[in-house]
């Protein structure tokens, strides 16, 4: 069918099996525009998150936050098949820088504890990663070290990246002091051991004395020391990941669908017009981890998450997830307990096979010893969103959030309804 563009922003063409394959189109990449060599890989991602609260909170107001991330990998192995790698091809230099801007205090202004936007960080330039890595290739051990954050190697489940609220997005709402969570980082190293094809054990060591202080670029945009400061001692992390196909198909596995009256529905045995759709959802994951620190202000804790497919007859494919984290250090950790879960569905609208609907709900337990001015023992959050997949380059995601028991002030605050839009650009 040539290069016909579908209504979902996808390129539609015949696959080798004679069916129609729906894949997202790419409008522009810096890699091709700059004609970079094969051993250099450059990616730029921009996420803007305007948000306002028409109902509830201390004051009805709005804000805008934005994060720009630049990633560069230098590796001669990028140009060769892994089976043909020589020793030099295993080695890579990874660089990552972030620029954040906007009002990162929005949650406090409306009476909430947890930021309603995942990009709510102090306005600054952050040198988030500078690492030398020996990639496993066809081996079983991957090692990297330098300046780096704890995530995405630890705590992060890919399914969480669909959410806008900070408690549902990224790191299971772990709020321990001095934690080098992206865009913050620290000097450290990570070792990953592939026990089996679908089972990985990862261990990391981070120097908390260098957290927030390893990047002079941050001072260029007025980063203030009282927002965060270096800790003391070291942080040790360990995590076990299971990614068996029985949990859910991998992202690279196309979704089987059936074409009916110019719309797509879930595949069924007697379908007369089978087709496939590019899978936007992550694979299955069971992740369990723990951390321990010699810094009494950081402490220790455990966390875990589970992502798997369901048999719900909605959309073309789906993932359900649950996650939790716990820290016994209630005297220093103001949010020692978190539980959450959600549902992510691709192709809920029959003529938009690449769009994704997200729903999530979470509860962050609060510690009175750490923060005596809390008005309740927890703050909850629910999020409903719809990601419009215009292309691999551009995605728009309207979001609607409800905050239960806002507790960021010493006076009772009614629930908060917030609405906004996440604009994602990937080059």
């Amino acid at each position: 069918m040539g290069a016909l563009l579908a209504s979902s922003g996808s390129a539609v063409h015949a696959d080798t099996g004679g069916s129609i394959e729906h894949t997202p189109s790419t409008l522009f990449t810096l890699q091709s525009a700059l004609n970079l060599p094969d051993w250099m890989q450059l990616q730029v991602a921009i996420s803007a998150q305007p948000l306002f609260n028409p109902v509830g909170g201390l004051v009805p107001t709005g804000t805008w936050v934005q994060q720009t991330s630049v990633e560069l990998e230098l590796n001669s192995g990028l140009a060769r098949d892994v089976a043909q790698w020589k020793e030099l091809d295993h080695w890579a230099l990874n660089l990552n820088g972030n620029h954040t801007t906007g009002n990162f205090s929005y949650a406090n202004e409306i009476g909430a504890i947890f930021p309603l936007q995942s990009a709510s960080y102090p306005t600054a330039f952050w040198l988030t990663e500078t690492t030398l890595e020996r990639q496993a290739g066809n081996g079983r051990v991957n090692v990297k070290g330098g300046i780096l954050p704890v995530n995405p190697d630890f705590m992060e489940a890919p399914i969480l990246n669909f959410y806008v609220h900070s408690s549902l997005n990224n790191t299971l709402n772990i709020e321990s002091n001095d934690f080098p969570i992206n865009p913050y980082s620290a000097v450290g190293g990570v070792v990953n051991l592939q026990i089996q094809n679908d089972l990985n054990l990862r261990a990391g060591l981070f120097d908390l004395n260098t957290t927030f202080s390893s990047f002079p670029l941050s001072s260029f945009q007025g980063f203030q020391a009282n927002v965060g400061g270096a800790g003391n001692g070291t942080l040790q992390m360990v995590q076990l990941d299971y990614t068996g196909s029985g949990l859910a198909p991998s992202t690279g596995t196309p979704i089987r669908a059936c074409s009916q009256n110019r719309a797509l529905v879930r595949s069924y045995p007697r379908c007369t017009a089978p087709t496939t759709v590019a899978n936007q959802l992550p694979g299955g994951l069971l992740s369990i981890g723990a951390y321990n620190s010699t810094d009494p202000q950081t402490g220790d804790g455990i966390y875990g998450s589970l992502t798997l497919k369901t048999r719900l007859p909605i959309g073309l494919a789906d993932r359900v997830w649950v996650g939790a984290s716990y820290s016994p250090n209630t005297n220093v950790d103001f949010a020692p307990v978190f539980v959450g879960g959600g549902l992510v569905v691709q192709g809920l609208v029959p003529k938009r096979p690449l769009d994704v609907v997200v729903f999530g709900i979470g509860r962050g337990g609060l510690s009175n010893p750490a923060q005596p001015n809390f008005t309740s023992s927890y703050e909850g959050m629910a999020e409903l969103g719809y990601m419009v997949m215009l292309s691999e380059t551009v995605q728009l995601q309207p979001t609607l959030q409800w905050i239960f028991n806002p507790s960021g002030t010493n006076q009772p605050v009614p629930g908060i309804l917030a609405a906004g839009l996440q604009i994602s650009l990937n080059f």
Side-chain angles (χ1 to χ4, degrees), residues 77-95:
L78 292 172
R80 296 185 176 91
D81 185 271
V82 174
Q84 299 176 342
W85 273 11
K86 299 179 180 179
E87 179 58 29
L88 181 61
D89 299 324
H90 286 269
W91 293 89
L93 178 64
N94 305 306
L95 303 172

Side-chain angles (χ1 to χ4, degrees), residues 3-4 9 37 56-57 77-79 91 93 115 120 126 131 148 163 191 246 255 268 278 282 285 289 297 331 410 421:
L4 181 65
L78 292 172
W91 293 89
L93 178 64
S120 290
W126 303 101
T131 58
L148 71 166
Y163 294 89
V191 178
I255 300 171
Y268 55 91
L285 173 65
Q297 295 300 312
N331 289 325
N410 56 10
L421 177 69

Side-chain angles (χ1 to χ4, degrees), residues 304-325:
S305 67
L306 173 64
T307 304
L308 70 164
K309 64 180 180 180
T310 76
R311 297 183 181 275
L312 296 174
I314 54 176
L316 299 179
D318 60 73
R319 301 290 185 270
V320 64
W321 68 272
V322 292
S325 63

